[in-house]
């Protein structure tokens, strides 16, 4: 998955508009324009498409953590220059304030089975003997699960009659 793919899916899941996306970057002390955001969200076939770099996407994820959990005291963490699925997965888990059980529940919603040991292997340091690289399929299913949990619950709540 590309950074742009994940960015598009997160925007859809949480129903962020362009202004909200710009504000999330600002929460990580980084300024982007609405034009940059819209170009990142375009499909690759579009001539206006702009690739979202690892550093820019790491900044967005740091801003998302600040948005969802509140900004921590002290200096902000430096954005990673190189991202992989493990880092993206970990940052999303932090942003959504999820425990391992919460992540496994989300994976279950997406009908993707994962043991607690497999899950913990994704969050280990790369030099640990039990580290496991997070494949696109795992990240894709996690994103699908959070979409089903967060976006579809919003839709269901809006459509259900009030008692």
């Amino acid at each position: 998955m590309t950074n742009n793919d994940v960015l598009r899916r997160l925007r859809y899941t949480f129903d962020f508009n362009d202004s909200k996306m710009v504000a999330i970057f600002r929460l990580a002390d980084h300024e982007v324009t609405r034009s940059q955001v819209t170009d990142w969200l375009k499909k690759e076939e579009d001539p206006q498409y702009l690739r979202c770099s690892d550093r820019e996407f790491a900044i967005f994820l740091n801003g998302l953590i600040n948005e969802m959990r509140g900004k921590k005291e002290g200096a902000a963490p430096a954005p990673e220059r190189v991202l992989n699925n493990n880092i993206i997965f970990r940052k999303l888990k932090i942003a959504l304030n999820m425990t391992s059980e919460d992540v496994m529940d989300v994976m279950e919603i997406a009908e993707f089975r994962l043991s607690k040991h497999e899950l913990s292997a994704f969050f280990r340091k790369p030099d640990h003997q039990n580290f496991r690289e997070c494949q696109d399929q795992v990240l894709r299913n996690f994103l699908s699960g959070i979409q089903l949990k967060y976006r579809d619950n919003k839709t269901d709540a809006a459509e259900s009659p009030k008692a």
Side-chain angles (χ1 to χ4, degrees):
M1 296 186 75
T2 68
N3 295 335
N4 298 62
D5 292 333
V6 179
L7 194 64
R8 273 191 294 272
R9 291 182 76 159
L10 291 172
R11 176 191 167 102
Y12 176 77
T13 296
F14 297 108
D15 201 20
F16 294 150
N17 60 25
D18 291 347
S19 298
K20 184 65 171 182
M21 298 287 283
V22 169
I24 289 172
F25 275 97
R26 198 172 300 120
L27 285 171
D29 302 323
H30 187 74
E31 293 295 323
V32 297
T33 64
R34 175 174 263 169
S35 173
Q36 281 177 291
V37 170
T38 57
D39 290 347
W40 286 327
L41 297 170
K42 292 182 185 330
K43 296 288 185 182
E44 291 178 24
E45 307 82 46
D46 192 306
Q48 298 291 312
Y49 170 83
L50 183 63
R51 189 181 137 309
C52 182
S53 73
D54 283 352
R55 184 175 179 282
E56 290 162 330
F57 191 52
I59 291 168
F60 175 80
L61 292 171
N62 290 344
L64 186 64
I65 291 169
N66 292 338
E67 169 70 19
M68 303 287 224
R69 303 222 13 205
K71 205 167 187 175
K72 279 189 172 182
E73 294 293 319
E80 292 82 355
R81 295 209 175 277
V82 177
L83 283 181
N84 59 37
N85 288 348
N86 296 69
I87 296 170
I88 294 168
F89 197 177
R90 184 178 67 243
K91 285 181 176 279
L92 290 173
K93 178 182 179 260
I94 292 168
L96 298 171
N97 200 22
M98 293 179 136
T99 63
S100 294
E101 288 77 20
D102 296 333
V103 173
M104 290 176 62
D105 291 344
V106 163
M107 294 301 237
E108 182 93 15
I109 292 169
E111 299 179 8
F112 188 79
R113 299 255 183 245
L114 195 64
S115 76
K116 198 167 190 172
H117 297 291
E118 289 174 302
L119 179 63
S120 69
F122 295 134
F123 302 122
R124 296 191 183 277
K125 292 190 186 272
D127 58 351
H128 190 279
Q129 69 178 13
N130 294 327
F131 172 80
R132 183 171 160 213
E133 190 176 318
C134 181
Q135 300 298 316
D136 283 353
Q137 177 188 18
V138 175
L139 186 59
R140 194 175 298 113
N141 277 288
F142 178 68
L143 290 168
S144 295
I146 63 173
Q147 180 179 321
L148 290 167
K149 179 176 179 169
Y150 292 96
R151 179 150 182 109
D152 292 354
N153 280 348
K154 261 192 223 175
T155 307
D156 293 345
E159 292 175 0
S160 65
K162 304 244 188 287

